[in-house]
Amino acid sequence: MDAQSGSLLVWHFMHKDRCLYSYEKLPEEEPVKVVPGQTLRISDEPVPYFRGFHGATEALSALVSAPGIVNAPGPVVQRAVLNGAIKTWPGFLGGYSACATERTCLWLTDASHVLHEFSLWCVEEALRFSVGRWEVYPPDRQLLDAKREWLRGKISSKKLETMVQEAWWRTWEAVGGVHRFGVRHKMVFWDSVRLDPVKAVNDAVFEIHLWRTIPEVELNAELERRLLALAQKKEGRSDHDGLWNIRWHKGLFP
């Protein structure tokens, strides 16, 4: 994997405090706060997963490296441009993951609410596919409404967790304690109501992948649409902001 020079527009997720840490391939020992317009650099050659600034050309690939495998440390998303020496490798969606010597932040925002809503959307799309194929227990459906109530601040985290545990046991008893393949789709309900937004998306996407209900490229398109709308609403930013002063080499990464 040879390094190439140029620029690449990417997605990158980070901790809720918007900081990068030394264990995240940075030479600095102290946390580095990321802000829009900032360019971070390293002098050494980038080494994927070990040293350098990372990102992915698809938002879903920035969240999960493969269905069921979490890639993001937190729910804060940044739109960034990688510059300098860049190493790329194929992502599971057909695009690229990359590691570079420079990364310029165009905008960033906390996407927790959007990620939770996206995980619920995944579940509802799976439900549409399941009509006439599998039995769906009414208590499971109630979890979706409960999570939306939690997002609005109308029920507590403890109350939501209790409802999830109760639904799990009801389903387990209903199938006689046997976790048959025909009832595995019920896991999508429990997974989607996780309190951690990144894990909620990861688990919901895994279930979608398992049942082949929605192509991953469509999932990614929906997620990116929601993230871009959030950035425009909260930060007043778009993909074009800040790009005027960044070298852009079309065709470098086909």
Side-chain angles (χ1 to χ4, degrees), residues 124-163:
E124 287 164 347
E125 288 299 301
L127 280 177
R128 289 199 306 114
F129 178 81
S130 70
V131 172
R133 293 177 173 84
W134 309 303
E135 180 183 1
V136 179
Y137 298 131
D140 287 337
R141 287 186 180 275
Q142 294 171 9
L143 291 181
L144 303 183
D145 295 332
K147 179 155 187 182
R148 287 206 164 91
E149 291 292 293
W150 173 74
L151 286 173
R152 298 187 188 103
K154 294 186 176 181
I155 66 172
S156 66
S157 298
K158 185 176 182 179
K159 173 66 175 177
L160 183 61
E161 289 178 329
T162 299
M163 293 182 68

Short mmCIF file of all heavy atoms in Angstrom, two decimals, residues 124-163:
data_model
loop_
_atom_site.label_atom_id
_atom_site.label_comp_id
_atom_site.label_asym_id
_atom_site.label_seq_id
_atom_site.Cartn_x
_atom_site.Cartn_y
_atom_site.Cartn_z
N GLU A 124 -37.44 0.22 11.34
CA GLU A 124 -38.75 0.34 10.71
C GLU A 124 -38.73 -0.15 9.27
O GLU A 124 -39.70 -0.72 8.78
CB GLU A 124 -39.22 1.79 10.80
CG GLU A 124 -39.63 2.17 12.22
CD GLU A 124 -39.72 3.66 12.44
OE1 GLU A 124 -39.23 4.41 11.58
OE2 GLU A 124 -40.27 4.07 13.48
N GLU A 125 -37.61 0.07 8.58
CA GLU A 125 -37.47 -0.47 7.23
C GLU A 125 -37.44 -1.99 7.26
O GLU A 125 -38.01 -2.66 6.39
CB GLU A 125 -36.20 0.08 6.58
CG GLU A 125 -36.29 1.55 6.21
CD GLU A 125 -37.39 1.82 5.20
OE1 GLU A 125 -37.35 1.25 4.10
OE2 GLU A 125 -38.31 2.59 5.53
N ALA A 126 -36.76 -2.55 8.27
CA ALA A 126 -36.74 -4.00 8.41
C ALA A 126 -38.13 -4.54 8.71
O ALA A 126 -38.51 -5.62 8.23
CB ALA A 126 -35.77 -4.40 9.53
N LEU A 127 -38.90 -3.80 9.49
CA LEU A 127 -40.27 -4.21 9.79
C LEU A 127 -41.13 -4.26 8.54
O LEU A 127 -41.94 -5.17 8.36
CB LEU A 127 -40.89 -3.25 10.80
CG LEU A 127 -40.53 -3.47 12.27
CD1 LEU A 127 -41.17 -2.38 13.13
CD2 LEU A 127 -40.97 -4.84 12.73
N ARG A 128 -40.96 -3.29 7.67
CA ARG A 128 -41.73 -3.28 6.43
C ARG A 128 -41.43 -4.54 5.62
O ARG A 128 -42.31 -5.13 5.01
CB ARG A 128 -41.41 -2.04 5.60
CG ARG A 128 -41.95 -0.76 6.17
CD ARG A 128 -42.03 0.35 5.13
NE ARG A 128 -40.77 0.58 4.47
CZ ARG A 128 -40.56 0.36 3.17
NH1 ARG A 128 -41.51 -0.13 2.41
NH2 ARG A 128 -39.38 0.62 2.63
N PHE A 129 -40.17 -4.95 5.63
CA PHE A 129 -39.77 -6.15 4.90
C PHE A 129 -40.31 -7.41 5.56
O PHE A 129 -40.60 -8.40 4.89
CB PHE A 129 -38.24 -6.21 4.82
CG PHE A 129 -37.71 -7.43 4.13
CD1 PHE A 129 -37.66 -7.48 2.74
CD2 PHE A 129 -37.26 -8.52 4.85
CE1 PHE A 129 -37.18 -8.60 2.09
CE2 PHE A 129 -36.78 -9.65 4.21
CZ PHE A 129 -36.74 -9.69 2.82
N SER A 130 -40.47 -7.37 6.89
CA SER A 130 -40.84 -8.58 7.64
C SER A 130 -42.33 -8.89 7.58
O SER A 130 -42.74 -9.98 7.97
CB SER A 130 -40.41 -8.44 9.10
OG SER A 130 -41.20 -7.48 9.76
N VAL A 131 -43.14 -7.95 7.09
CA VAL A 131 -44.60 -8.16 7.05
C VAL A 131 -44.91 -9.42 6.23
O VAL A 131 -44.49 -9.55 5.08
CB VAL A 131 -45.31 -6.94 6.44
CG1 VAL A 131 -46.80 -7.26 6.24
CG2 VAL A 131 -45.15 -5.73 7.35
N GLY A 132 -45.62 -10.36 6.85
CA GLY A 132 -45.97 -11.59 6.18
C GLY A 132 -44.89 -12.64 6.19
O GLY A 132 -45.10 -13.76 5.71
N ARG A 133 -43.73 -12.32 6.74
CA ARG A 133 -42.63 -13.28 6.78
C ARG A 133 -42.40 -13.82 8.19
O ARG A 133 -42.19 -15.01 8.37
CB ARG A 133 -41.34 -12.63 6.26
CG ARG A 133 -41.38 -12.29 4.77
CD ARG A 133 -40.09 -11.59 4.35
NE ARG A 133 -40.01 -11.39 2.91
CZ ARG A 133 -40.56 -10.38 2.27
NH1 ARG A 133 -41.24 -9.47 2.95
NH2 ARG A 133 -40.45 -10.28 0.97
N TRP A 134 -42.37 -12.91 9.18
CA TRP A 134 -42.12 -13.33 10.56
C TRP A 134 -43.16 -12.71 11.48
O TRP A 134 -43.71 -11.65 11.20
CB TRP A 134 -40.72 -12.90 11.02
CG TRP A 134 -39.64 -13.28 10.09
CD1 TRP A 134 -39.33 -14.54 9.66
CD2 TRP A 134 -38.72 -12.41 9.46
NE1 TRP A 134 -38.28 -14.50 8.80
CE2 TRP A 134 -37.87 -13.21 8.65
CE3 TRP A 134 -38.49 -11.03 9.50
CZ2 TRP A 134 -36.84 -12.67 7.90
CZ3 TRP A 134 -37.47 -10.49 8.75
CH2 TRP A 134 -36.67 -11.32 7.96
N GLU A 135 -43.36 -13.37 12.60
CA GLU A 135 -44.23 -12.81 13.63
C GLU A 135 -43.46 -11.74 14.39
O GLU A 135 -42.30 -11.92 14.74
CB GLU A 135 -44.66 -13.91 14.59
CG GLU A 135 -45.57 -13.41 15.71
CD GLU A 135 -45.92 -14.50 16.68
OE1 GLU A 135 -45.46 -15.64 16.50
OE2 GLU A 135 -46.66 -14.21 17.63
N VAL A 136 -44.12 -10.62 14.63
CA VAL A 136 -43.52 -9.54 15.42
C VAL A 136 -44.37 -9.33 16.66
O VAL A 136 -45.55 -9.04 16.56
CB VAL A 136 -43.44 -8.23 14.60
CG1 VAL A 136 -42.84 -7.12 15.46
CG2 VAL A 136 -42.60 -8.44 13.35
N TYR A 137 -43.79 -9.50 17.82
CA TYR A 137 -44.53 -9.37 19.06
C TYR A 137 -44.82 -7.90 19.36
O TYR A 137 -43.93 -7.05 19.29
CB TYR A 137 -43.75 -9.99 20.22
CG TYR A 137 -43.50 -11.46 20.06
CD1 TYR A 137 -42.24 -11.99 20.25
CD2 TYR A 137 -44.54 -12.32 19.70
CE1 TYR A 137 -42.01 -13.35 20.09
CE2 TYR A 137 -44.32 -13.68 19.53
CZ TYR A 137 -43.04 -14.19 19.73
OH TYR A 137 -42.82 -15.52 19.56
N PRO A 138 -46.08 -7.57 19.74
CA PRO A 138 -46.44 -6.18 20.05
C PRO A 138 -45.52 -5.51 21.07
O PRO A 138 -45.19 -4.33 20.89
CB PRO A 138 -47.88 -6.32 20.58
CG PRO A 138 -48.40 -7.53 19.90
CD PRO A 138 -47.24 -8.48 19.83
N PRO A 139 -45.07 -6.21 22.14
CA PRO A 139 -44.18 -5.54 23.09
C PRO A 139 -42.90 -5.03 22.44
O PRO A 139 -42.34 -4.02 22.86
CB PRO A 139 -43.87 -6.64 24.12
CG PRO A 139 -45.05 -7.55 24.05
CD PRO A 139 -45.42 -7.57 22.59
N ASP A 140 -42.42 -5.74 21.41
CA ASP A 140 -41.22 -5.29 20.72
C ASP A 140 -41.46 -3.97 19.99
O ASP A 140 -40.61 -3.09 19.97
CB ASP A 140 -40.76 -6.36 19.71
CG ASP A 140 -40.15 -7.56 20.41
OD1 ASP A 140 -39.70 -7.40 21.56
OD2 ASP A 140 -40.12 -8.65 19.82
N ARG A 141 -42.61 -3.86 19.35
CA ARG A 141 -42.94 -2.62 18.66
C ARG A 141 -42.99 -1.44 19.63
O ARG A 141 -42.64 -0.32 19.28
CB ARG A 141 -44.29 -2.76 17.95
CG ARG A 141 -44.27 -3.65 16.71
CD ARG A 141 -45.60 -3.59 16.00
NE ARG A 141 -45.64 -4.42 14.82
CZ ARG A 141 -45.22 -4.03 13.62
NH1 ARG A 141 -44.70 -2.82 13.48
NH2 ARG A 141 -45.30 -4.83 12.58
N GLN A 142 -43.43 -1.70 20.84
CA GLN A 142 -43.54 -0.63 21.82
C GLN A 142 -42.18 -0.03 22.18
O GLN A 142 -42.10 1.12 22.60
CB GLN A 142 -44.23 -1.16 23.08
CG GLN A 142 -45.68 -1.55 22.87
CD GLN A 142 -46.27 -2.28 24.05
OE1 GLN A 142 -45.65 -2.35 25.12
NE2 GLN A 142 -47.46 -2.82 23.89
N LEU A 143 -41.12 -0.81 22.00
CA LEU A 143 -39.79 -0.31 22.31
C LEU A 143 -39.40 0.85 21.39
O LEU A 143 -38.69 1.77 21.80
CB LEU A 143 -38.75 -1.42 22.18
CG LEU A 143 -38.80 -2.53 23.23
CD1 LEU A 143 -37.71 -3.55 22.98
CD2 LEU A 143 -38.68 -1.96 24.63
N LEU A 144 -39.85 0.80 20.15
CA LEU A 144 -39.53 1.88 19.22
C LEU A 144 -40.16 3.19 19.69
O LEU A 144 -39.51 4.24 19.68
CB LEU A 144 -40.03 1.52 17.81
CG LEU A 144 -39.52 0.22 17.21
CD1 LEU A 144 -40.05 0.06 15.80
CD2 LEU A 144 -38.00 0.19 17.22
N ASP A 145 -41.42 3.11 20.10
CA ASP A 145 -42.08 4.31 20.62
C ASP A 145 -41.42 4.79 21.90
O ASP A 145 -41.27 5.99 22.13
CB ASP A 145 -43.56 4.02 20.87
CG ASP A 145 -44.32 3.72 19.58
OD1 ASP A 145 -43.89 4.23 18.52
OD2 ASP A 145 -45.31 2.97 19.63
N ALA A 146 -41.00 3.83 22.74
CA ALA A 146 -40.36 4.18 24.00
C ALA A 146 -39.04 4.90 23.77
O ALA A 146 -38.71 5.87 24.46
CB ALA A 146 -40.13 2.93 24.84
N LYS A 147 -38.29 4.44 22.77
CA LYS A 147 -37.01 5.12 22.51
C LYS A 147 -37.24 6.54 22.02
O LYS A 147 -36.49 7.46 22.40
CB LYS A 147 -36.17 4.35 21.50
CG LYS A 147 -34.86 5.07 21.22
CD LYS A 147 -33.76 4.19 20.75
CE LYS A 147 -32.46 4.95 20.65
NZ LYS A 147 -31.35 4.15 20.14
N ARG A 148 -38.25 6.75 21.22
CA ARG A 148 -38.54 8.12 20.77
C ARG A 148 -38.98 9.00 21.94
O ARG A 148 -38.66 10.19 21.99
CB ARG A 148 -39.59 8.09 19.67
CG ARG A 148 -39.04 7.57 18.35
CD ARG A 148 -39.80 8.10 17.15
NE ARG A 148 -39.04 7.90 15.93
CZ ARG A 148 -39.13 6.83 15.16
NH1 ARG A 148 -39.96 5.86 15.48
NH2 ARG A 148 -38.39 6.72 14.07
N GLU A 149 -39.71 8.40 22.87
CA GLU A 149 -40.07 9.15 24.08
C GLU A 149 -38.82 9.51 24.87
O GLU A 149 -38.71 10.61 25.43
CB GLU A 149 -41.02 8.32 24.95
CG GLU A 149 -42.40 8.11 24.35
CD GLU A 149 -43.18 9.43 24.30
OE1 GLU A 149 -43.53 9.96 25.36
OE2 GLU A 149 -43.41 9.94 23.18
N TRP A 150 -37.88 8.58 24.93
CA TRP A 150 -36.61 8.85 25.62
C TRP A 150 -35.83 9.96 24.93
O TRP A 150 -35.26 10.84 25.58
CB TRP A 150 -35.78 7.56 25.67
CG TRP A 150 -34.40 7.75 26.21
CD1 TRP A 150 -34.04 7.97 27.51
CD2 TRP A 150 -33.18 7.77 25.44
NE1 TRP A 150 -32.66 8.09 27.62
CE2 TRP A 150 -32.12 7.98 26.37
CE3 TRP A 150 -32.88 7.61 24.10
CZ2 TRP A 150 -30.79 8.04 25.97
CZ3 TRP A 150 -31.55 7.66 23.71
CH2 TRP A 150 -30.54 7.89 24.64
N LEU A 151 -35.81 9.96 23.60
CA LEU A 151 -35.12 11.00 22.86
C LEU A 151 -35.73 12.38 23.12
O LEU A 151 -35.03 13.39 23.09
CB LEU A 151 -35.15 10.70 21.35
CG LEU A 151 -34.22 9.58 20.86
CD1 LEU A 151 -34.48 9.27 19.39
CD2 LEU A 151 -32.76 9.95 21.08
N ARG A 152 -37.03 12.40 23.38
CA ARG A 152 -37.71 13.68 23.69
C ARG A 152 -37.57 14.06 25.16
O ARG A 152 -38.06 15.11 25.57
CB ARG A 152 -39.19 13.57 23.31
CG ARG A 152 -39.46 13.32 21.83
CD ARG A 152 -40.94 13.39 21.53
NE ARG A 152 -41.23 12.96 20.19
CZ ARG A 152 -41.74 11.77 19.87
NH1 ARG A 152 -42.05 10.92 20.84
NH2 ARG A 152 -41.98 11.44 18.61
N GLY A 153 -36.93 13.19 25.96
CA GLY A 153 -36.75 13.48 27.37
C GLY A 153 -37.96 13.18 28.23
O GLY A 153 -38.05 13.65 29.37
N LYS A 154 -38.91 12.39 27.71
CA LYS A 154 -40.14 12.13 28.44
C LYS A 154 -40.07 10.90 29.33
O LYS A 154 -40.91 10.72 30.21
CB LYS A 154 -41.32 12.00 27.46
CG LYS A 154 -41.62 13.30 26.73
CD LYS A 154 -42.86 13.19 25.88
CE LYS A 154 -43.20 14.53 25.23
NZ LYS A 154 -44.43 14.45 24.40
N ILE A 155 -39.08 10.01 29.09
CA ILE A 155 -38.85 8.89 30.00
C ILE A 155 -37.35 8.83 30.28
O ILE A 155 -36.53 9.32 29.49
CB ILE A 155 -39.36 7.54 29.44
CG1 ILE A 155 -38.57 7.13 28.21
CG2 ILE A 155 -40.85 7.60 29.16
CD1 ILE A 155 -38.92 5.72 27.73
N SER A 156 -36.98 8.22 31.39
CA SER A 156 -35.58 8.17 31.80
C SER A 156 -34.83 7.02 31.12
O SER A 156 -35.45 6.09 30.58
CB SER A 156 -35.49 7.99 33.31
OG SER A 156 -36.00 6.72 33.70
N SER A 157 -33.51 7.10 31.18
CA SER A 157 -32.67 6.03 30.64
C SER A 157 -32.93 4.72 31.38
O SER A 157 -32.98 3.65 30.78
CB SER A 157 -31.20 6.41 30.75
OG SER A 157 -30.92 7.57 30.00
N LYS A 158 -33.10 4.81 32.69
CA LYS A 158 -33.36 3.62 33.50
C LYS A 158 -34.67 2.96 33.08
O LYS A 158 -34.77 1.73 32.99
CB LYS A 158 -33.40 3.99 34.98
CG LYS A 158 -33.56 2.79 35.90
CD LYS A 158 -33.50 3.20 37.36
CE LYS A 158 -33.62 1.98 38.28
NZ LYS A 158 -33.54 2.36 39.71
N LYS A 159 -35.70 3.78 32.83
CA LYS A 159 -37.00 3.25 32.40
C LYS A 159 -36.87 2.53 31.06
O LYS A 159 -37.41 1.44 30.87
CB LYS A 159 -38.00 4.39 32.28
CG LYS A 159 -39.35 4.00 31.69
CD LYS A 159 -40.12 3.05 32.57
CE LYS A 159 -41.50 2.80 32.01
NZ LYS A 159 -42.27 1.81 32.83
N LEU A 160 -36.13 3.11 30.13
CA LEU A 160 -35.94 2.50 28.83
C LEU A 160 -35.19 1.18 28.95
O LEU A 160 -35.56 0.18 28.32
CB LEU A 160 -35.18 3.45 27.90
CG LEU A 160 -34.97 2.96 26.46
CD1 LEU A 160 -36.31 2.73 25.77
CD2 LEU A 160 -34.14 3.98 25.68
N GLU A 161 -34.13 1.15 29.75
CA GLU A 161 -33.37 -0.08 29.95
C GLU A 161 -34.24 -1.17 30.56
O GLU A 161 -34.13 -2.35 30.19
CB GLU A 161 -32.16 0.20 30.82
CG GLU A 161 -31.08 1.02 30.13
CD GLU A 161 -29.92 1.33 31.05
OE1 GLU A 161 -30.15 1.45 32.28
OE2 GLU A 161 -28.79 1.43 30.55
N THR A 162 -35.09 -0.80 31.48
CA THR A 162 -36.00 -1.77 32.10
C THR A 162 -36.95 -2.35 31.07
O THR A 162 -37.21 -3.57 31.05
CB THR A 162 -36.81 -1.11 33.24
OG1 THR A 162 -35.91 -0.63 34.23
CG2 THR A 162 -37.79 -2.10 33.85
N MET A 163 -37.47 -1.52 30.19
CA MET A 163 -38.38 -1.98 29.14
C MET A 163 -37.69 -2.94 28.19
O MET A 163 -38.27 -3.92 27.74
CB MET A 163 -38.95 -0.79 28.37
CG MET A 163 -39.86 0.10 29.20
SD MET A 163 -40.55 1.48 28.24
CE MET A 163 -41.63 0.59 27.12
#
